Amino acid sequence: MTATEQPLQEERLSAYVAKLQQMKESRAVREILERELLLEFIRLNQSRINEFPLIETQQRSISELFTLRGLEDPLYEHVKAIIGNFIQTLNRYGKALENSDEDSRRSLIPDLSNLEVLLVKCIQGVVYITALTLDNVAETLATYFGDDAYKAIDDITVQEELGVRFWQRHIEHFIGKTVESAFVKMVSEERFTLRKEGNMLAMTYRFDDLLSYLGATPAPPDKSRIQQQFENQEADFETRKNRKLVLDYLRAEFSDTGKGFSTTDIGHIGQLVCIDPSSRQLSAALTFLHTGIQPEGMELTREQAVFITEQVQALASGMAIGLNVMREDFLRAPQMFSAKEINAIRNMLGPFDLNGLHRVLGFMLESQFMAILRQRFGEDAGKMQVRSLRERRVAASQVLALEDLGMNRIRRNKLWRQDPDANDYMLFQMHTVQELQRLLQLFQMESPLVRAVAKLWETARFKLEIKVGINLDLLSRTTTNLNQKLAEILSRFGISSL
């Protein structure tokens, strides 16, 4: 019988008992006993877990994350309680088998069956969050680097288990190597401007030019099955209503334990929980538990209703554990960034959602490009600086679409200006949300138009320019030949003449 086949329940129970007995005979400490039993549990239940990975390295990653690497997470206490009950009941089941006590053995099967389901849900939570995270990462990388990114992603996924090294391989390939290569191409093709600005000589690089060297323009991404299921939880009123119920339940349930989810994670985890069938029974279970009223089309006992809520808790716990471990691994992976930059990445990353990943990848590319420039400061670092300039940018077609809501030419010209480097985009004229609000009030814009403009502001990407400044006043104080010194500095950036 292979690991992918579905053993009959009693065969699974016998296999658990055999593994438990083996661990006892070897006098394994409690932690090792639990780990080995859980590894056996995962092996026997793979076919009961949706989206369980086919790649061996990722199978090991799931097992390691659930049985070892997630142990320090606060929410693992919830999982540990289920494991403890499972082992305790399994001991009783083993004794009944040993004593040929058929009545006792059969009476324990319902409890063991429920505990099996709860453990499967815990593992299912880890698998769901892992699958969604990796698919979101792959989609984000393909957005920047084109379809060729998938080849590198697949190679790393086959070779590396989930962990710090897994993320390091991605960062080394997609950030370290590609940004250095893009910089060399930008210099060779003179994709920069050099001009005097006051007492500064400024070299300006457009981030759009950097991005243009990263990969071919990708086709619209094909969503994976789990991405589609996740996004479908916002599809209509009923799914959004169920999502809110799950979110409210998780907030209340886990805040009581002092181990609540962070505000940045709760929405993501709650929405992912909703793809599991148990979440769609939660409303009925809670209604019955609070009022005693039987839901339409169902006949619940109190035990059944409680069991439904326990499944939702188990799923959410597994997801939170998996998310927390992956996030800490990811944040430990970059070796070229400062502590300040890592903290910024933490604040942007969130639960590995697509928006957060887009911000993080853009920030990493920007930071690495700036680091390459700083490396060329050399002994003149005190006389030079590098900074980034941002402007919110939206597609011109999105702005023109606002005409139906009352956006006329005068209003439009006060809010936006044409991007001089990209005809398909327009730049917001203001830099803060307070400036935007004052302008919206000044023009007394209609409420639907205000909401539409605010959404464009919130979802706008940034046009980014990276500027190196050489302070000519400071430089002139340390050299007798300013032009020769400038030529020396510029040569470090691949610029041969002023």
Side-chain angles (χ1 to χ4, degrees):
M1 183 179 298
T2 66
T4 56
E5 293 174 343
Q6 173 80 51
L8 296 174
Q9 184 184 49
E10 294 193 7
E11 290 179 342
R12 290 200 307 272
L13 295 179
S14 295
Y16 304 148
V17 169
K19 175 59 71 172
L20 189 60
Q21 187 61 33
Q22 178 188 343
M23 290 296 98
K24 287 180 178 180
E25 290 173 356
S26 66
R27 298 185 178 180
V29 297
R30 177 76 178 191
E31 290 78 8
I32 300 298
L33 184 150
E34 288 183 0
R35 171 174 159 75
E36 291 300 318
L37 182 60
L38 284 174
L39 288 172
E40 180 74 355
F41 184 93
I42 293 171
R43 184 185 71 82
L44 292 168
N45 288 279
Q46 286 182 16
S47 61
R48 302 173 70 191
I49 301 169
N50 294 330
E51 303 292 336
F52 197 84
L54 299 176
I55 300 173
E56 185 178 345
T57 51
Q58 297 307 297
Q59 291 179 357
R60 291 199 301 269
S61 297
I62 296 298
S63 298
E64 289 292 305
L65 199 157
F66 188 70
T67 64
L68 184 63
R69 303 185 62 236
L71 296 180
E72 299 303 317
D73 192 278
L75 281 167
Y76 199 81
E77 288 299 319
H78 185 80
V79 177
K80 198 171 182 65
I82 299 172
I83 296 170
N85 287 338
F86 183 67
I87 291 175
Q88 184 180 22
T89 310
L90 199 59
N91 272 321
R92 293 162 57 198
Y93 183 87
K95 289 179 181 177
L97 271 178
E98 184 180 347
N99 297 327
S100 301
D101 186 346
E102 187 66 11
D103 290 341
S104 294
R105 186 190 72 82
R106 288 188 177 277
S107 70
L108 290 167
I109 288 178
D111 286 344
L112 279 172
S113 179
N114 283 356
L115 288 165
E116 252 197 328
V117 170
L118 293 181
L119 277 178
V120 166
K121 292 295 184 184
C122 291
I123 301 164
Q124 182 70 78
V126 173
V127 170
Y128 275 153
I129 197 70
T130 302
L132 181 61
T133 296
L134 296 183
D135 289 343
N136 282 351
V137 168
E139 178 180 327
T140 305
L141 289 171
T143 300
Y144 281 83
F145 298 94
D147 288 340
D148 290 345
Y150 289 115
K151 173 64 168 60
I153 293 168
D154 290 344
D155 288 345
I156 295 170
T157 301
V158 169
Q159 296 164 10
E160 301 287 348
E161 293 183 26
L162 268 176
V164 175
R165 183 59 187 156
F166 176 86
W167 297 117
Q168 282 176 341
R169 290 279 305 275
H170 281 83
I171 293 169
E172 288 166 3
H173 181 85
F174 290 106
I175 306 297
K177 294 178 183 177
T178 54
V179 175
E180 182 70 41
S181 175
F183 175 74
V184 171
K185 291 177 182 176
M186 290 174 72
V187 171
S188 66
E189 297 181 15
E190 298 186 352
R191 301 287 286 271
F192 58 86
T193 60
L194 182 65
R195 63 168 60 95
K196 190 171 182 293
E197 298 177 357
N199 70 334
M200 305 287 285
L201 183 64
M203 291 174 278
T204 304
Y205 302 85
R206 293 175 59 242
F207 198 63
D208 286 352
D209 290 334
L210 169 65
L211 296 179
S212 70
Y213 290 111
L214 299 184
T217 302
D222 291 328
K223 297 288 185 181
S224 68
R225 181 168 57 244
I226 194 166
Q227 284 178 309
Q228 291 175 344
Q229 290 177 305
F230 180 80
E231 293 178 3
N232 285 345
Q233 304 313 310
E234 298 181 297
D236 54 40
F237 175 77
E238 286 302 319
T239 54
R240 291 193 296 272
K241 178 181 175 183
N242 188 59
R243 184 185 61 175
K244 183 180 185 306
L245 174 76
V246 170
L247 289 177
D248 290 344
Y249 173 73
L250 292 178
R251 286 193 186 100
E253 191 64 29
F254 285 94
S255 64
D256 290 343
T257 67
K259 303 181 179 69
F261 300 104
S262 71
T263 54
T264 56
D265 295 345
I266 185 69
H268 191 76
I269 289 173
Q271 185 164 333
L272 187 55
V273 166
C274 289
I275 74 176
D276 191 82
S278 63
S279 74
R280 294 187 282 278
Q281 298 177 313
L282 183 62
S283 176
L286 292 177
T287 298
F288 177 73
L289 290 173
H290 293 155
T291 68
I293 299 173
Q294 287 286 357
E296 185 177 349
M298 294 179 68
E299 287 290 334
L300 288 176
T301 64
R302 179 173 178 79
E303 290 73 19
Q304 289 171 333
V306 169
F307 184 55
I308 290 169
T309 66
E310 289 174 339
Q311 291 179 66
V312 171
Q313 292 175 33
L315 267 169
S317 296
M319 290 174 186
I321 292 166
L323 175 58
N324 290 337
V325 171
M326 284 190 293
R327 184 162 47 207
E328 291 307 310
D329 286 344
F330 184 90
L331 292 169
R332 288 167 54 204
Q335 298 177 316
M336 69 282 278
F337 298 134
S338 67
K340 182 179 179 181
E341 288 170 329
I342 294 296
N343 190 53
I345 291 171
R346 179 185 292 276
N347 292 334
M348 295 177 197
L349 181 59
F352 290 95
D353 61 298
L354 288 170
N355 286 334
L357 285 167
H358 180 94
R359 290 193 297 270
V360 165
L361 186 54
F363 178 79
M364 283 184 163
L365 291 168
E366 173 191 347
S367 297
Q368 181 65 6
F369 190 80
M370 293 174 76
I372 289 171
L373 296 174
R374 286 194 191 96
Q375 290 169 2
R376 286 157 172 77
F377 285 8
E379 63 185 13
D380 302 295
K383 310 173 193 71
M384 301 174 66
Q385 64 180 23
V386 60
R387 61 195 179 100
S388 54
L389 307 173
R390 285 176 169 77
E391 292 182 281
R392 289 180 185 267
R393 180 168 69 176
V394 294
S397 58
Q398 292 179 290
V399 174
L400 293 175
L402 299 179
E403 290 181 358
D404 293 340
L405 298 176
M407 179 63 70
N408 56 36
R409 183 177 58 82
I410 295 174
R411 289 173 165 180
R412 184 172 65 245
N413 290 342
K414 287 293 183 179
L415 289 170
W416 293 281
R417 61 184 173 87
Q418 183 66 50
D419 184 341
D421 300 309
N423 291 332
D424 293 338
Y425 288 93
M426 301 188 76
L427 302 169
F428 273 97
Q429 300 270 29
M430 66 292 302
H431 294 90
T432 68
V433 68
Q434 290 79 12
E435 292 178 78
L436 175 64
Q437 289 171 345
R438 283 196 294 270
L439 202 58
L440 294 177
Q441 292 170 1
L442 177 65
F443 280 94
Q444 298 181 332
M445 293 191 188
E446 299 80 2
S447 294
L449 182 57
V450 169
R451 288 193 294 271
V453 172
K455 184 175 182 180
L456 284 183
W457 172 272
E458 292 166 2
T459 58
R461 303 297 188 191
F462 284 100
K463 178 184 181 180
L464 175 64
E465 292 183 338
I466 299 173
K467 184 171 292 191
V468 174
I470 305 172
N471 190 308
L472 299 177
D473 289 345
L474 293 178
L475 195 64
S476 64
R477 296 174 192 172
T478 59
T479 181
T480 57
N481 189 330
L482 182 59
N483 284 339
Q484 181 179 344
K485 184 62 177 177
L486 282 173
E488 176 196 328
I489 293 174
L490 293 177
S491 68
R492 300 175 203 157
F493 293 85
I495 301 173
S496 57
S497 62
L498 288 172

